[in-house]
Structures are given as structure tokens and as C-alpha cells.
Amino acid sequence: QVQLVESGGGLVQAGDSLRLSCAASIRSIRTFSRYSMGWFRQAPGKEREFVAAISRTGDMIYYADSVKGRFTISRDNAKNTVYLQMNSLKPEDTAVYYCAADTLNGPLTNPSQYDYWGQGTQVTVSS
């Protein structure tokens, strides 16, 4: 019912910026604005961890402490897209980044709360 496609990953140096996008294709009567959205990441050998989440209307946002002040999540409901602006990137931000969607009203910080996931986009930050 919901397909999510991430883009914008790449190889950058420490201190650089990247903007990730997640475009949603929805085949249901629900519109994109009925889905809470989140970003998670998974580094090799580690569990998937929460990065940022945004409520359906964008009025509530949560961030992981590790990215607070550096990352910004936003959404454009007219474009069915959620973004993750990542500034001041660090080598420890290296991971595959996934976006997720769910009809529960968020922000949702637990991966088990999400029904729909993208395939992920690789972000590599060199020192």
C-alpha cells in the first residue's frame, strides 16, 4: 500500500552536509498526510536506531540526542516526501539510512511502530 524510496545518500567528508529524501507512493484511500514518518539508521554490526520522526502534520518532531542540533527532519505533504537535512556530519553518522511510515499519529521513535519501510540509502562520512 505504501512504497518508500530514499535518495540523497553518498560519500562525504566530516563536516559536510547531505539532504536525504524519501518519496512515498501510496495506493490507498489515505493520503500522505495521514502517515507519521521517521528516519532510522543502521551501521554494520549494530541494531537499527532512531534518528528523527515527524507527526502527520509536522507540528511535532523528535530527534535522537546524537543528531540534535545537526539534523533537521521536514515533510512536504503536497509532494509526498519527507526530508532529512544532515549538517556537520561525523564519521559516526556512517550508516544505511531508512525512512519509515505508519498511520499511527507520531512522532514515533520505535522501529516496531512502523509498518512501511524503504530500502535504505548509504551515507558514508570519511574523517
Side-chain angles (χ1 to χ4, degrees):
Q1 293 180 344
V2 179
Q3 288 187 316
L4 303 173
V5 179
E6 302 96 335
S7 62
L11 172 63
V12 297
Q13 293 187 331
D16 285 350
S17 298
L18 278 175
R19 188 175 83 153
L20 305 184
S21 299
C22 173
S25 297
I26 300 173
R27 288 182 286 181
S28 79
I29 59 174
R30 295 187 177 96
T31 61
F32 182 67
S33 63
R34 296 295 296 169
Y35 291 85
S36 296
M37 302 297 296
W39 285 98
F40 293 79
R41 66 187 181 187
Q42 189 165 18
K46 295 188 177 181
E47 291 187 353
R48 191 166 298 190
E49 66 172 358
F50 167 72
V51 175
I54 189 167
S55 62
R56 294 169 179 167
T57 60
D59 61 335
M60 292 185 66
I61 290 173
Y62 291 165
Y63 294 102
D65 287 343
S66 59
V67 306
K68 204 171 293 184
R70 299 187 298 122
F71 290 11
T72 303
I73 187 172
S74 62
R75 65 188 298 159
D76 186 336
N77 286 346
K79 295 183 178 180
N80 287 11
T81 301
V82 64
Y83 304 97
L84 186 68
Q85 177 67 43
M86 306 186 295
N87 298 330
S88 302
L89 282 161
K90 304 175 181 180
E92 51 263 43
D93 294 319
T94 295
V96 177
Y97 283 71
Y98 299 90
C99 72
D102 199 85
T103 55
L104 291 175
N105 197 18
L108 309 173
T109 62
N110 191 322
S112 66
Q113 295 175 299
Y114 289 90
D115 279 340
Y116 304 101
W117 291 86
Q119 293 299 306
T121 185
Q122 177 71 46
V123 172
T124 303
V125 185
S126 64
S127 57

